[in-house]
């Protein structure tokens, strides 16, 4: 892997990745601040970011915990949100390398951004370098942002004052909006899921409405076969 990061393309790949890193760092600050300001110890978002490393899943799990939901509901929601990375891993399996250590570390770095950035490159060698450059950079910036946000969380007070409480909904909207625009089956599934979640919210514990929304997927299959 060391030789990959010495190629002449690294400079241009770092430049191309930098804006994504900046955005990730800002969202990481939001996550750390929200978690600590909501009452969690500083070490919780920091360790979660190092070990789990899945932005939307982390926001979901912490949001459910802060809303009074149980750890099982939080973990289940996070796992379901992150199942998409299984398909991503298959898409970049040949990019990670053949060594066991490279594959283990590479699997941990698989995200929407690193996969999209790698697959956008023109040849296999550049794709591999792009994956590691973007993946390692994103991991470092995200965790640095989370640590800064967690340390500042108690001093920030109400995160709603700064708009940081809107970070999680904004991240989810950004993830799903392209699919909603281009795929009618996804739109039908999302509308049904949203309706189900809103209907059960007054009657079930936090985190359960998100799981109930998955029932909207029944319309996705019907839309594909119609």
């Amino acid at each position: 892997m060391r030789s990959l990061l010495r190629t002449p393309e690294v400079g241009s790949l770092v430049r191309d990745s930098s804006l994504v890193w900046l955005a990730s760092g800002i969202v990481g600050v939001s996550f750390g601040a929200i978690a600590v300001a909501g009452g969690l110890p500083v070490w919780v978002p920091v360790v979660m970011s190092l070990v789990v490393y899945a932005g939307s899943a982390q926001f979901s799990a912490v949001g459910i915990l802060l809303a009074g939901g149980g750890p099982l509901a939080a973990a289940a929601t996070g796992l379901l949100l992150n199942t998409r990375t299984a398909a991503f891993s298959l898409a970049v399996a040949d990019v990670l390398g053949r060594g066991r250590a490279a594959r283990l570390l590479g699997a941990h770095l698989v995200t929407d951004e690193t996969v999209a950035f790698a697959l956008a490159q023109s040849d296999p060698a550049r794709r591999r370098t792009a994956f590691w450059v973007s993946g390692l950079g994103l991991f470092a910036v995200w965790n640095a942002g989370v640590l800064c946000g967690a340390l500042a969380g108690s001093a920030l007070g109400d995160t709603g004052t700064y708009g940081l409480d809107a970070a999680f909904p904004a991240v989810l909207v950004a993830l799903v909006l392209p699919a909603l625009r281009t795929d009618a089956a996804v739109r039908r599934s999302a509308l049904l899921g949203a309706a189900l979640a809103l209907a059960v919210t007054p009657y079930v514990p936090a985190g359960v409405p998100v799981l109930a929304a998955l029932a909207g997927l029944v319309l996705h299959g019907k839309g594909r076969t119609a």
Side-chain angles (χ1 to χ4, degrees), residues 4 86-99 102-103 106-107 110 114-115 118-132:
L4 291 175
F88 293 166
S89 298
L90 294 175
V92 295
D94 60 334
V95 173
L96 303 184
R98 297 183 178 180
R103 285 185 173 272
V110 169
T114 54
V115 171
L119 296 182
Q121 308 308 314
S122 56
D123 62 84
R126 186 174 173 86
R127 279 197 292 271
R128 181 171 297 181
T129 304
F131 175 85
W132 288 106

Side-chain angles (χ1 to χ4, degrees), residues 33-221:
I34 290 169
V36 173
L40 294 178
V42 170
W43 67 267
V44 172
V46 173
V47 172
M48 183 185 289
S49 294
L50 289 169
V51 178
V52 179
Y53 184 52
S56 58
Q58 290 178 229
F59 270 108
S60 297
V62 167
I64 289 170
L65 290 174
L66 295 182
L72 290 179
T77 302
L79 284 171
L80 287 169
L81 278 174
N82 226 36
T83 51
R84 69 187 189 281
T85 58
F88 293 166
S89 298
L90 294 175
V92 295
D94 60 334
V95 173
L96 303 184
R98 297 183 178 180
R100 183 173 299 178
R103 285 185 173 272
L104 183 62
L105 176 59
H108 192 55
L109 298 178
V110 169
T111 65
D112 307 65
E113 297 85 357
T114 54
V115 171
F117 190 62
L119 296 182
Q121 308 308 314
S122 56
D123 62 84
R126 186 174 173 86
R127 279 197 292 271
R128 181 171 297 181
T129 304
F131 175 85
W132 288 106
V133 168
S134 62
L136 291 171
L138 198 64
F139 182 80
V141 172
W142 169 259
N143 282 280
V146 170
L147 176 60
C148 291
L151 292 175
S154 57
L156 288 174
D158 182 11
T159 55
T161 304
Y162 310 97
L164 295 181
D165 56 332
F168 172 53
V171 168
L172 290 186
V173 169
L175 287 172
V176 304
L177 191 57
L180 291 175
R181 286 176 173 173
T182 59
D183 195 320
V186 172
R187 285 196 297 272
R188 287 192 294 269
S189 299
L191 286 172
L192 176 58
L196 290 171
L198 289 173
V200 303
T201 294
Y203 311 107
V204 298
V208 175
V210 178
L211 301 178
L214 292 173
L217 291 174
V218 297
L219 288 186
H220 189 268

